[in-house]
């Protein structure tokens, strides 16, 4: 696993742990429970191919989850070991894990939680998207456009919960502060952090879960 140099979290955020390199840092032992922590692997994929228009081609969600399991826990599975429920939420039944995946540009984020938890992750860059942010601000009942951080939190909430873009109206996000924050959607809570890759614009990473849990971040640089 790549070192955690060049990828910085906003200072002052409590409840996050930058885990040491290597799968032994986050697993108890093969065959034993992984524990109650949410583990998030943020990867930079430097060698992604491009299409004819020059746009980066992202790996599939299945392959990103499979690779993240190996990197984070040292456990190898195949894509056939993954499952999705009727709400399109990922899980790894044989390992009693829930999973969620997101990617933007050359970055991906994969989050794992114990099987009893519903988890969602999203990662967003700071591209200009005025219409989408005004639309989301209206859905959130605000007089001003939503922020990129709001956008990431809403996407993560949709991935973790029963909500869809069509049923999202009426959802409310509490004012931002470090750590988990309750929403008005059942027991679901959200939290978010700004990632600051060295020499690149910031990224906004958000998590949603149906119960608070400690969070560990891991970072992988792929050539």
């Amino acid at each position: 696993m790549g070192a955690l140099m060049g990828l910085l979290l906003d200072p002052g955020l409590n409840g996050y742990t930058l885990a040491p390199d290597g799968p032994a840092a986050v697993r108890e032992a093969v065959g034993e429970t992984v524990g109650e922590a949410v583990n998030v692997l943020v990867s930079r994929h430097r060698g992604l191919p491009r299409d004819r228009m020059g746009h980066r081609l992202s790996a599939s969600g299945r392959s990103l989850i499979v690779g993240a399991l190996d990197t984070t826990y040292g456990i190898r599975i195949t894509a056939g070991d993954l499952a999705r429920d009727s709400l399109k939420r990922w899980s790894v039944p044989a390992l009693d894990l829930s999973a969620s995946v997101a990617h933007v540009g050359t970055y991906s984020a994969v989050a794992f939680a114990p099987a009893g938890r519903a988890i969602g992750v999203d990662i967003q860059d700071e591209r200009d998207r005025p219409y989408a942010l005004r639309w989301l601000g209206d859905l959130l009942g605000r007089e001003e456009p939503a922020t990129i951080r709001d956008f990431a939190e809403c996407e993560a909430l949709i991935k973790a919960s029963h909500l869809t873009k069509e049923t999202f109206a009426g959802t409310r996000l509490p004012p931002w502060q470090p750590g988990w924050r309750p929403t008005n959607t059942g027991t679901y809570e959200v939290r978010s952090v700004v990632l600051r890759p060295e020499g690149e614009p910031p990224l906004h990473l958000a998590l949603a879960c149906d119960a608070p849990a400690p969070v560990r971040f891991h970072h992988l640089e792929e050539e």
Side-chain angles (χ1 to χ4, degrees), residues 24-204:
V26 293
R27 71 180 187 215
E28 294 177 11
V30 175
E32 295 183 10
T33 179
V34 175
E36 291 300 314
V38 170
N39 283 289
V40 183
L41 175 67
V42 179
S43 302
R44 175 156 50 180
H45 311 273
R46 296 179 179 272
L48 289 175
R50 297 178 182 269
D51 62 18
R52 285 186 239 176
M53 302 298 293
H55 301 129
R56 294 280 188 182
L57 298 174
S58 299
S60 70
R62 285 184 181 272
S63 64
L64 289 171
I65 293 172
V66 168
L69 271 170
D70 188 14
T71 299
T72 308
Y73 298 109
I75 299 174
R76 295 189 178 184
I77 64 167
T78 68
D81 295 314
L82 302 179
R84 297 186 88 177
D85 65 13
S86 60
L87 298 174
K88 298 183 179 181
R89 296 179 296 196
W90 292 101
S91 64
V92 192
L95 300 176
D96 290 327
L97 286 173
S98 299
S100 184
V101 60
H103 55 77
V104 62
T106 60
Y107 286 88
S108 68
V110 181
F112 296 106
R117 301 268 65 89
I119 189 70
V121 67
D122 195 59
I123 188 168
Q124 297 287 334
D125 58 19
E126 293 195 342
R127 282 174 292 147
D128 189 30
R129 50 189 106 179
Y131 299 109
L133 295 180
R134 281 202 294 270
W135 170 78
L136 181 57
D138 289 340
L139 286 184
L140 294 172
R142 299 180 181 176
E143 296 182 357
E144 70 280 351
T147 65
I148 298 297
R149 185 193 293 274
D150 297 329
F151 193 95
E153 290 186 349
C154 290
E155 288 287 339
L157 186 56
I158 287 172
K159 291 180 181 181
S161 72
H162 60 279
L163 293 170
T164 66
K165 289 179 173 63
E166 291 71 32
T167 63
F168 199 80
T171 300
R172 297 292 182 264
L173 297 177
W176 186 88
Q177 62 181 17
W180 293 103
R181 293 140 44 225
T183 68
N184 67 336
T185 305
T187 63
Y188 288 94
E189 300 197 13
V190 294
R191 68 188 301 168
S192 56
V193 64
V194 177
L195 306 177
R196 302 187 182 279
E198 186 176 345
E200 296 188 23
L203 298 169
H204 296 264

